[in-house]
């Protein structure tokens, strides 16, 4: 018996639902937002570049006539911007249904943000951690709401020490280990967030999805020759080992919309390419102690505290 392949046609009707998608002006984020809009969702494109966000909104409206598409300035490399975006969402919405933490990528060269964080961990983890915490009340007041974290197979090669999220500063920096570290942080966060939501009795679940190996704009500051070699429009051989952003978006989209999804689930291709299935993160990503230590470090660094650890709280009351 042939197993059915999940596709964009399986996305349920989304009328009446509002989704906030970070990094939605290009790549996976654009594909996710566009697919949700085509199924009737109102979408908010939370992006660093307002001009590119506006252009992306126009493209989505062109492909989904009548779609409600708004933009929100959000630079995840800046806690100041994160706080401003969260305030604006509170000003404009009483609640919303779906937060897709998609924005990410990596920096080929070492850099730090205005807050002093290594840029790759900041954009992939610390910024989304803070943003989620600052808008979580808008989700937990909405039955059936979800927080979706976009992960990566790269997390399988990641290691992390929450006491030192910048272990290779300056000339010692290597961009792929930094990226793998950040993507491991994504899954540690998603699993711990779901555990804390369940303990709080919230109607919100935390789930994750990965794109496999998809061609996106995530490595935009790589050398032009490397990007050209990896671009399927230039080198058709890359199509043998990668897939389009639209197909890569299916993993996060299934996490966001599949009515059978449960908190803690993780969807994506079983290999580099393919349709999304229920997959399993590494044992390290499920390490409860590592999750707790990363959460506490993230609270300290971002100064955003939410959903206290129910285990530690129980131990403290004894």
């Amino acid at each position: 018996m042939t197993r059915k392949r999940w596709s964009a046609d399986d996305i349920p009707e989304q009328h009446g639902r509002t989704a906030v998608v970070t990094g939605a002006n290009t790549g996976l984020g654009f594909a996710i937002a566009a697919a949700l809009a085509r199924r009737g969702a109102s979408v908010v494109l939370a992006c660093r570049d307002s001009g590119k966000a506006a252009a992306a909104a126009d493209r989505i409206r062109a492909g989904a006539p009548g779609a409600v598409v708004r933009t929100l300035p959000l630079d995840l490399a800046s806690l100041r911007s994160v706080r401003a975006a969260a305030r604006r969402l509170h000003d404009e919405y009483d609640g919303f249904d779906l937060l897709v933490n998609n924005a990410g990528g990596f920096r080929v060269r070492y850099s730090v943000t205005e807050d002093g964080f290594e840029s790759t961990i900041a954009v992939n983890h610390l910024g989304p951690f803070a943003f989620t915490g600052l808008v979580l009340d808008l989700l937990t007041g909405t039955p059936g709401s979800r927080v979706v974290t976009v992960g990566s197979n790269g997390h399988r090669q990641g290691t992390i020490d929450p006491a030192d999220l910048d272990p290779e500063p300056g000339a010692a920096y290597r961009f792929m280990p930094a990226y793998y570290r950040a993507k491991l942080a994504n899954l540690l966060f998603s699993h711990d967030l779901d555990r804390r939501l369940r303990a709080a009795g919230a109607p919100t679940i935390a789930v994750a999805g990965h794109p496999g190996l998809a061609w996106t704009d995530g490595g935009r500051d790589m050398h032009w020759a490397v990007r050209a070699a990896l671009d399927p429009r230039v080198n058709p051989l890359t199509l043998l080992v990668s897939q389009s952003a639209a197909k890569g978006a299916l993993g996060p989209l299934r996490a966001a919309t599949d009515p059978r999804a449960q908190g803690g689930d993780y969807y994506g291709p079983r290999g580099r390419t393919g349709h999304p299935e229920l997959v399993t993160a590494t044992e390290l990503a499920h390490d409860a102690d590592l999750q707790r230590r990363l959460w506490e470090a993230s609270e300290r660094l971002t100064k955003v505290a939410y959903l206290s650890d129910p285990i530690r709280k129980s131990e403290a009351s004894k």
Side-chain angles (χ1 to χ4, degrees), residues 33-55:
L36 292 170
R38 286 194 296 270
R39 301 300 286 169
S42 298
V43 294
V44 179
L45 314 185
C47 308
R48 180 180 57 181
D49 188 314
S50 295
K52 290 181 179 179

Side-chain angles (χ1 to χ4, degrees), residues 184-230:
L184 175 59
N186 286 161
L187 289 174
L188 288 164
F189 164 66
S190 183
H191 293 320
D192 200 13
L193 175 61
D194 189 69
R195 179 176 65 87
R196 292 168 187 256
L197 286 166
R198 282 187 281 112
T204 306
I205 63 172
V207 286
H210 79 84
L213 184 57
W215 173 250
T216 71
D217 206 26
R220 63 182 65 88
D221 62 344
M222 295 173 70
H223 190 278
W224 68 266
V226 176
R227 285 189 58 77
L230 296 174

